[in-house]
Amino acid sequence: MNKNNITEIANKVGKFIIIGFIIEVVFLAFINNSLVNFLHSHGPLSKSDPIEIDTLVRSSQHTLSLIIIALFIFKVNFKDMFFNKNQIYKLSLKARIKLTILFMSIMLFSTLISSFIIEYYSEHILDIPMSETTKKLSIFVIFIVPIIEEIIYRGIFLEQLKSIGYLFSIIVSSIYFAAMHGVGFFHSFVIGMILGFAYILTGNIKWSIIMHFIYNLIITLIEDLFLPLFPKMSYATLKLIIGIILFLVFLILSMGDEEIKKFHQKVNIKNIKYKIKEDKKKYITFVDEPKVTIFIVGGIIIHLIPFFIAWSMR
């Protein structure tokens, strides 16, 4: 792909991001609080409400507006998104199950770093309690979020970048996915890489939706089931233990598995590093697009402002 093609794609992607950001700002400034207060007046969801309602309202608004914007900017094929069978690497069902177990452990390990950042940000910068998960929010997080987010970030956003390069599209879409998750950037980037990888391999979002669903289910079970059962254990400790168990299960199941071995020979850190180095000019060309640059700089500033405010008030 030549430089002009990359610039054209970057222009469309940048336009999509900036319009989405503007709608988000307008919604937060003029609509969000009124809508949250209206819903809250009909009865609280939990002790941390209206934080709970705010989460539901903002998530719904953000995802739905991005889908609508995408329909005007990109060519979106929902049929291919779910049912495309053009796989770049065929894996048996057994191999997918084993890899899903491995990916779940990696996702949990990555959240350990973000957990401390999110907890500090919530309690010391936002000065609000960590929100408690309710039945309504749990249902939304487990069943609705995986479908909507996979449509936006993999089915739409990553798909627009795929023609530039498979690894390129995974990395760039993961950065955007992570940026939209704020202080949870690190683990969201890792999760985005894994889910993007699943999408590229299969050609559709079904496997990535299933993994997203399983991950959200595990996190919800830790919060709602395991923490009450083991009150002396911290949230991070439980995630570490479950992550280790899943990783050990993967190692045991994969012993002597030739399919997993061949897959690892194709996809490993060494090959990924080489491909990133090879695609260096593509990343530079993409970032040089003004709309993309504005998003990157603006995003960094917006995420750093609360930390500077908290530091200055000490």
Side-chain angles (χ1 to χ4, degrees), residues 45-46 48-60 130-146 216 220 223-224:
L45 294 178
S46 72
S48 61
D49 200 35
I51 299 169
E52 225 59 74
I53 289 178
D54 183 72
T55 302
L56 290 170
V57 169
R58 287 188 63 185
S59 297
S60 302
M130 292 290 286
S131 62
E132 296 177 2
T133 305
T134 64
K135 287 183 179 179
K136 288 182 181 179
L137 186 59
S138 294
I139 291 170
F140 182 78
V141 169
I142 296 170
F143 297 104
I144 308 300
V145 169
N216 285 3
T220 303
E223 292 177 352
D224 294 352

mmCIF file of all heavy atoms in Angstrom, residues 45-46 48-60 130-146 216 220 223-224:
data_model
loop_
_atom_site.group_PDB
_atom_site.id
_atom_site.type_symbol
_atom_site.label_atom_id
_atom_site.label_comp_id
_atom_site.label_asym_id
_atom_site.label_seq_id
_atom_site.Cartn_x
_atom_site.Cartn_y
_atom_site.Cartn_z
ATOM 1 N N LEU A 45 -29.567 2.401 42.151
ATOM 2 C CA LEU A 45 -29.169 1.038 41.789
ATOM 3 C C LEU A 45 -28.302 0.407 42.868
ATOM 4 O O LEU A 45 -28.345 -0.789 43.095
ATOM 5 C CB LEU A 45 -28.395 1.054 40.465
ATOM 6 C CG LEU A 45 -29.167 1.461 39.206
ATOM 7 C CD1 LEU A 45 -28.224 1.463 38.022
ATOM 8 C CD2 LEU A 45 -30.323 0.531 38.952
ATOM 9 N N SER A 46 -27.495 1.228 43.538
ATOM 10 C CA SER A 46 -26.584 0.700 44.552
ATOM 11 C C SER A 46 -26.134 1.821 45.470
ATOM 12 O O SER A 46 -26.523 2.974 45.306
ATOM 13 C CB SER A 46 -25.364 0.059 43.881
ATOM 14 O OG SER A 46 -24.539 1.071 43.335
ATOM 15 N N SER A 48 -23.303 3.119 45.565
ATOM 16 C CA SER A 48 -22.440 4.041 44.834
ATOM 17 C C SER A 48 -23.188 4.792 43.738
ATOM 18 O O SER A 48 -22.598 5.545 42.982
ATOM 19 C CB SER A 48 -21.253 3.283 44.220
ATOM 20 O OG SER A 48 -21.722 2.313 43.308
ATOM 21 N N ASP A 49 -24.498 4.559 43.648
ATOM 22 C CA ASP A 49 -25.299 5.271 42.672
ATOM 23 C C ASP A 49 -25.302 6.767 43.011
ATOM 24 O O ASP A 49 -25.250 7.105 44.194
ATOM 25 C CB ASP A 49 -26.732 4.707 42.747
ATOM 26 C CG ASP A 49 -27.548 4.977 41.509
ATOM 27 O OD1 ASP A 49 -26.955 4.963 40.430
ATOM 28 O OD2 ASP A 49 -28.741 5.192 41.648
ATOM 29 N N PRO A 50 -25.276 7.747 42.058
ATOM 30 C CA PRO A 50 -25.559 7.549 40.626
ATOM 31 C C PRO A 50 -24.345 7.228 39.753
ATOM 32 O O PRO A 50 -24.418 7.352 38.539
ATOM 33 C CB PRO A 50 -26.162 8.896 40.225
ATOM 34 C CG PRO A 50 -25.477 9.872 41.108
ATOM 35 C CD PRO A 50 -25.264 9.169 42.422
ATOM 36 N N ILE A 51 -23.216 6.846 40.379
ATOM 37 C CA ILE A 51 -22.040 6.456 39.582
ATOM 38 C C ILE A 51 -22.406 5.295 38.654
ATOM 39 O O ILE A 51 -22.001 5.232 37.495
ATOM 40 C CB ILE A 51 -20.868 6.037 40.495
ATOM 41 C CG1 ILE A 51 -20.459 7.201 41.391
ATOM 42 C CG2 ILE A 51 -19.685 5.564 39.670
ATOM 43 C CD1 ILE A 51 -19.511 6.814 42.501
ATOM 44 N N GLU A 52 -23.219 4.370 39.179
ATOM 45 C CA GLU A 52 -23.643 3.188 38.429
ATOM 46 C C GLU A 52 -24.436 3.599 37.185
ATOM 47 O O GLU A 52 -24.184 3.128 36.083
ATOM 48 C CB GLU A 52 -24.509 2.317 39.335
ATOM 49 C CG GLU A 52 -24.216 0.843 39.309
ATOM 50 C CD GLU A 52 -22.799 0.512 39.691
ATOM 51 O OE1 GLU A 52 -22.429 0.585 40.864
ATOM 52 O OE2 GLU A 52 -22.054 0.128 38.781
ATOM 53 N N ILE A 53 -25.426 4.473 37.385
ATOM 54 C CA ILE A 53 -26.248 4.933 36.270
ATOM 55 C C ILE A 53 -25.395 5.718 35.276
ATOM 56 O O ILE A 53 -25.549 5.585 34.064
ATOM 57 C CB ILE A 53 -27.420 5.808 36.779
ATOM 58 C CG1 ILE A 53 -28.447 4.942 37.512
ATOM 59 C CG2 ILE A 53 -28.103 6.525 35.616
ATOM 60 C CD1 ILE A 53 -29.611 5.706 38.095
ATOM 61 N N ASP A 54 -24.486 6.532 35.795
ATOM 62 C CA ASP A 54 -23.599 7.318 34.941
ATOM 63 C C ASP A 54 -22.789 6.404 34.024
ATOM 64 O O ASP A 54 -22.594 6.702 32.840
ATOM 65 C CB ASP A 54 -22.656 8.164 35.808
ATOM 66 C CG ASP A 54 -21.756 9.054 34.963
ATOM 67 O OD1 ASP A 54 -22.271 10.034 34.403
ATOM 68 O OD2 ASP A 54 -20.555 8.757 34.864
ATOM 69 N N THR A 55 -22.319 5.281 34.565
ATOM 70 C CA THR A 55 -21.558 4.302 33.769
ATOM 71 C C THR A 55 -22.409 3.755 32.636
ATOM 72 O O THR A 55 -21.959 3.660 31.484
ATOM 73 C CB THR A 55 -21.076 3.146 34.668
ATOM 74 O OG1 THR A 55 -20.275 3.664 35.718
ATOM 75 C CG2 THR A 55 -20.265 2.138 33.862
ATOM 76 N N LEU A 56 -23.650 3.386 32.945
ATOM 77 C CA LEU A 56 -24.542 2.830 31.936
ATOM 78 C C LEU A 56 -24.886 3.856 30.860
ATOM 79 O O LEU A 56 -24.859 3.553 29.669
ATOM 80 C CB LEU A 56 -25.833 2.330 32.601
ATOM 81 C CG LEU A 56 -25.717 1.085 33.477
ATOM 82 C CD1 LEU A 56 -27.002 0.867 34.256
ATOM 83 C CD2 LEU A 56 -25.405 -0.142 32.626
ATOM 84 N N VAL A 57 -25.184 5.073 31.287
ATOM 85 C CA VAL A 57 -25.575 6.133 30.356
ATOM 86 C C VAL A 57 -24.428 6.494 29.422
ATOM 87 O O VAL A 57 -24.582 6.560 28.204
ATOM 88 C CB VAL A 57 -26.042 7.394 31.131
ATOM 89 C CG1 VAL A 57 -26.186 8.588 30.184
ATOM 90 C CG2 VAL A 57 -27.372 7.119 31.812
ATOM 91 N N ARG A 58 -23.232 6.715 29.989
ATOM 92 C CA ARG A 58 -22.081 7.114 29.183
ATOM 93 C C ARG A 58 -21.670 6.013 28.210
ATOM 94 O O ARG A 58 -21.355 6.283 27.055
ATOM 95 C CB ARG A 58 -20.903 7.474 30.085
ATOM 96 C CG ARG A 58 -21.079 8.795 30.814
ATOM 97 C CD ARG A 58 -19.811 9.198 31.544
ATOM 98 N NE ARG A 58 -18.712 9.421 30.626
ATOM 99 C CZ ARG A 58 -17.470 9.694 31.004
ATOM 100 N NH1 ARG A 58 -17.181 9.774 32.292
ATOM 101 N NH2 ARG A 58 -16.516 9.890 30.122
ATOM 102 N N SER A 59 -21.670 4.762 28.679
ATOM 103 C CA SER A 59 -21.290 3.638 27.812
ATOM 104 C C SER A 59 -22.259 3.501 26.646
ATOM 105 O O SER A 59 -21.853 3.310 25.500
ATOM 106 C CB SER A 59 -21.260 2.336 28.618
ATOM 107 O OG SER A 59 -20.292 2.397 29.629
ATOM 108 N N SER A 60 -23.559 3.594 26.946
ATOM 109 C CA SER A 60 -24.584 3.451 25.901
ATOM 110 C C SER A 60 -24.481 4.572 24.877
ATOM 111 O O SER A 60 -24.513 4.330 23.664
ATOM 112 C CB SER A 60 -25.980 3.459 26.540
ATOM 113 O OG SER A 60 -26.106 2.423 27.481
ATOM 114 N N MET A 130 -14.974 3.328 44.587
ATOM 115 C CA MET A 130 -15.044 2.405 43.466
ATOM 116 C C MET A 130 -16.474 1.906 43.369
ATOM 117 O O MET A 130 -17.065 1.476 44.348
ATOM 118 C CB MET A 130 -14.089 1.220 43.684
ATOM 119 C CG MET A 130 -12.629 1.587 43.629
ATOM 120 S SD MET A 130 -12.082 2.028 41.970
ATOM 121 C CE MET A 130 -12.041 0.398 41.227
ATOM 122 N N SER A 131 -17.078 1.981 42.187
ATOM 123 C CA SER A 131 -18.486 1.623 42.042
ATOM 124 C C SER A 131 -18.715 0.147 42.285
ATOM 125 O O SER A 131 -17.909 -0.699 41.925
ATOM 126 C CB SER A 131 -18.977 1.992 40.633
ATOM 127 O OG SER A 131 -18.250 1.267 39.663
ATOM 128 N N GLU A 132 -19.839 -0.141 42.941
ATOM 129 C CA GLU A 132 -20.190 -1.528 43.197
ATOM 130 C C GLU A 132 -20.946 -2.073 41.989
ATOM 131 O O GLU A 132 -21.763 -1.384 41.388
ATOM 132 C CB GLU A 132 -21.079 -1.613 44.439
ATOM 133 C CG GLU A 132 -20.394 -1.155 45.714
ATOM 134 C CD GLU A 132 -21.348 -1.194 46.889
ATOM 135 O OE1 GLU A 132 -22.503 -1.622 46.687
ATOM 136 O OE2 GLU A 132 -20.948 -0.811 47.985
ATOM 137 N N THR A 133 -20.696 -3.331 41.674
ATOM 138 C CA THR A 133 -21.380 -3.934 40.543
ATOM 139 C C THR A 133 -22.784 -4.353 40.959
ATOM 140 O O THR A 133 -22.963 -5.020 41.966
ATOM 141 C CB THR A 133 -20.612 -5.177 40.042
ATOM 142 O OG1 THR A 133 -19.272 -4.801 39.756
ATOM 143 C CG2 THR A 133 -21.248 -5.734 38.790
ATOM 144 N N THR A 134 -23.772 -3.971 40.183
ATOM 145 C CA THR A 134 -25.147 -4.350 40.449
ATOM 146 C C THR A 134 -25.590 -5.359 39.400
ATOM 147 O O THR A 134 -24.898 -5.591 38.415
ATOM 148 C CB THR A 134 -26.062 -3.118 40.378
ATOM 149 O OG1 THR A 134 -26.022 -2.626 39.042
ATOM 150 C CG2 THR A 134 -25.600 -2.030 41.336
ATOM 151 N N LYS A 135 -26.764 -5.946 39.606
ATOM 152 C CA LYS A 135 -27.259 -6.928 38.646
ATOM 153 C C LYS A 135 -27.439 -6.309 37.263
ATOM 154 O O LYS A 135 -27.086 -6.899 36.248
ATOM 155 C CB LYS A 135 -28.580 -7.516 39.141
ATOM 156 C CG LYS A 135 -28.418 -8.478 40.318
ATOM 157 C CD LYS A 135 -29.744 -9.093 40.717
ATOM 158 C CE LYS A 135 -29.549 -10.058 41.884
ATOM 159 N NZ LYS A 135 -30.834 -10.657 42.320
ATOM 160 N N LYS A 136 -28.001 -5.082 37.247
ATOM 161 C CA LYS A 136 -28.232 -4.417 35.963
ATOM 162 C C LYS A 136 -26.918 -4.127 35.253
ATOM 163 O O LYS A 136 -26.780 -4.344 34.051
ATOM 164 C CB LYS A 136 -29.019 -3.130 36.174
ATOM 165 C CG LYS A 136 -30.475 -3.350 36.538
ATOM 166 C CD LYS A 136 -31.210 -2.039 36.679
ATOM 167 C CE LYS A 136 -32.667 -2.273 37.069
ATOM 168 N NZ LYS A 136 -33.393 -0.994 37.238
ATOM 169 N N LEU A 137 -25.939 -3.625 36.011
ATOM 170 C CA LEU A 137 -24.649 -3.307 35.414
ATOM 171 C C LEU A 137 -23.921 -4.581 34.997
ATOM 172 O O LEU A 137 -23.264 -4.625 33.956
ATOM 173 C CB LEU A 137 -23.786 -2.503 36.390
ATOM 174 C CG LEU A 137 -22.457 -1.986 35.834
ATOM 175 C CD1 LEU A 137 -22.681 -1.092 34.626
ATOM 176 C CD2 LEU A 137 -21.679 -1.242 36.896
ATOM 177 N N SER A 138 -24.049 -5.646 35.803
ATOM 178 C CA SER A 138 -23.411 -6.929 35.480
ATOM 179 C C SER A 138 -23.935 -7.488 34.168
ATOM 180 O O SER A 138 -23.177 -7.962 33.323
ATOM 181 C CB SER A 138 -23.651 -7.941 36.604
ATOM 182 O OG SER A 138 -23.011 -7.538 37.783
ATOM 183 N N ILE A 139 -25.246 -7.437 33.996
ATOM 184 C CA ILE A 139 -25.864 -7.925 32.754
ATOM 185 C C ILE A 139 -25.361 -7.113 31.569
ATOM 186 O O ILE A 139 -25.016 -7.656 30.518
ATOM 187 C CB ILE A 139 -27.409 -7.837 32.843
ATOM 188 C CG1 ILE A 139 -27.926 -8.870 33.856
ATOM 189 C CG2 ILE A 139 -28.045 -8.085 31.477
ATOM 190 C CD1 ILE A 139 -29.390 -8.714 34.202
ATOM 191 N N PHE A 140 -25.284 -5.800 31.748
ATOM 192 C CA PHE A 140 -24.806 -4.907 30.690
ATOM 193 C C PHE A 140 -23.361 -5.216 30.337
ATOM 194 O O PHE A 140 -23.005 -5.342 29.157
ATOM 195 C CB PHE A 140 -24.959 -3.452 31.165
ATOM 196 C CG PHE A 140 -24.536 -2.435 30.140
ATOM 197 C CD1 PHE A 140 -25.369 -2.122 29.073
ATOM 198 C CD2 PHE A 140 -23.314 -1.793 30.241
ATOM 199 C CE1 PHE A 140 -24.984 -1.179 28.125
ATOM 200 C CE2 PHE A 140 -22.924 -0.845 29.305
ATOM 201 C CZ PHE A 140 -23.768 -0.543 28.245
ATOM 202 N N VAL A 141 -22.517 -5.352 31.361
ATOM 203 C CA VAL A 141 -21.081 -5.580 31.156
ATOM 204 C C VAL A 141 -20.802 -6.943 30.538
ATOM 205 O O VAL A 141 -19.960 -7.079 29.649
ATOM 206 C CB VAL A 141 -20.316 -5.431 32.496
ATOM 207 C CG1 VAL A 141 -18.887 -5.932 32.359
ATOM 208 C CG2 VAL A 141 -20.315 -3.972 32.948
ATOM 209 N N ILE A 142 -21.514 -7.973 30.997
ATOM 210 C CA ILE A 142 -21.234 -9.341 30.534
ATOM 211 C C ILE A 142 -21.805 -9.604 29.143
ATOM 212 O O ILE A 142 -21.115 -10.150 28.276
ATOM 213 C CB ILE A 142 -21.797 -10.386 31.529
ATOM 214 C CG1 ILE A 142 -21.078 -10.278 32.877
ATOM 215 C CG2 ILE A 142 -21.635 -11.792 30.974
ATOM 216 C CD1 ILE A 142 -21.711 -11.099 33.979
ATOM 217 N N PHE A 143 -23.049 -9.201 28.911
ATOM 218 C CA PHE A 143 -23.731 -9.609 27.678
ATOM 219 C C PHE A 143 -23.776 -8.538 26.584
ATOM 220 O O PHE A 143 -23.695 -8.866 25.401
ATOM 221 C CB PHE A 143 -25.166 -10.050 28.005
ATOM 222 C CG PHE A 143 -25.239 -11.257 28.892
ATOM 223 C CD1 PHE A 143 -25.553 -11.130 30.235
ATOM 224 C CD2 PHE A 143 -24.970 -12.525 28.393
ATOM 225 C CE1 PHE A 143 -25.610 -12.242 31.063
ATOM 226 C CE2 PHE A 143 -25.021 -13.638 29.204
ATOM 227 C CZ PHE A 143 -25.343 -13.505 30.554
ATOM 228 N N ILE A 144 -23.912 -7.276 26.959
ATOM 229 C CA ILE A 144 -24.098 -6.218 25.956
ATOM 230 C C ILE A 144 -22.772 -5.609 25.505
ATOM 231 O O ILE A 144 -22.528 -5.458 24.304
ATOM 232 C CB ILE A 144 -25.020 -5.104 26.502
ATOM 233 C CG1 ILE A 144 -26.322 -5.687 27.051
ATOM 234 C CG2 ILE A 144 -25.290 -4.069 25.409
ATOM 235 C CD1 ILE A 144 -27.135 -6.455 26.043
ATOM 236 N N VAL A 145 -21.910 -5.272 26.466
ATOM 237 C CA VAL A 145 -20.640 -4.610 26.153
ATOM 238 C C VAL A 145 -19.779 -5.401 25.162
ATOM 239 O O VAL A 145 -19.258 -4.807 24.201
ATOM 240 C CB VAL A 145 -19.846 -4.308 27.450
ATOM 241 C CG1 VAL A 145 -18.418 -3.879 27.126
ATOM 242 C CG2 VAL A 145 -20.545 -3.216 28.257
ATOM 243 N N PRO A 146 -19.585 -6.715 25.342
ATOM 244 C CA PRO A 146 -18.739 -7.446 24.376
ATOM 245 C C PRO A 146 -19.224 -7.332 22.936
ATOM 246 O O PRO A 146 -18.409 -7.166 22.022
ATOM 247 C CB PRO A 146 -18.831 -8.902 24.866
ATOM 248 C CG PRO A 146 -19.108 -8.781 26.325
ATOM 249 C CD PRO A 146 -20.014 -7.598 26.457
ATOM 250 N N ASN A 216 -15.128 -10.640 30.739
ATOM 251 C CA ASN A 216 -16.028 -9.827 31.568
ATOM 252 C C ASN A 216 -16.750 -10.665 32.611
ATOM 253 O O ASN A 216 -17.003 -10.212 33.730
ATOM 254 C CB ASN A 216 -17.044 -9.098 30.676
ATOM 255 C CG ASN A 216 -16.434 -7.931 29.926
ATOM 256 O OD1 ASN A 216 -15.235 -7.686 30.022
ATOM 257 N ND2 ASN A 216 -17.231 -7.205 29.173
ATOM 258 N N THR A 220 -16.480 -10.201 36.652
ATOM 259 C CA THR A 220 -17.710 -10.029 37.430
ATOM 260 C C THR A 220 -17.815 -11.089 38.527
ATOM 261 O O THR A 220 -18.230 -10.793 39.657
ATOM 262 C CB THR A 220 -18.945 -10.103 36.512
ATOM 263 O OG1 THR A 220 -18.831 -9.114 35.479
ATOM 264 C CG2 THR A 220 -20.231 -9.853 37.295
ATOM 265 N N GLU A 223 -15.591 -10.204 41.434
ATOM 266 C CA GLU A 223 -16.163 -9.126 42.247
ATOM 267 C C GLU A 223 -17.365 -9.586 43.063
ATOM 268 O O GLU A 223 -17.481 -9.271 44.248
ATOM 269 C CB GLU A 223 -16.594 -7.963 41.341
ATOM 270 C CG GLU A 223 -15.431 -7.237 40.686
ATOM 271 C CD GLU A 223 -15.900 -6.137 39.743
ATOM 272 O OE1 GLU A 223 -17.125 -6.046 39.492
ATOM 273 O OE2 GLU A 223 -15.058 -5.377 39.267
ATOM 274 N N ASP A 224 -18.272 -10.345 42.423
ATOM 275 C CA ASP A 224 -19.548 -10.675 43.059
ATOM 276 C C ASP A 224 -19.549 -11.988 43.829
ATOM 277 O O ASP A 224 -20.342 -12.162 44.760
ATOM 278 C CB ASP A 224 -20.658 -10.740 42.001
ATOM 279 C CG ASP A 224 -20.937 -9.393 41.376
ATOM 280 O OD1 ASP A 224 -20.387 -8.390 41.870
ATOM 281 O OD2 ASP A 224 -21.695 -9.333 40.396
#
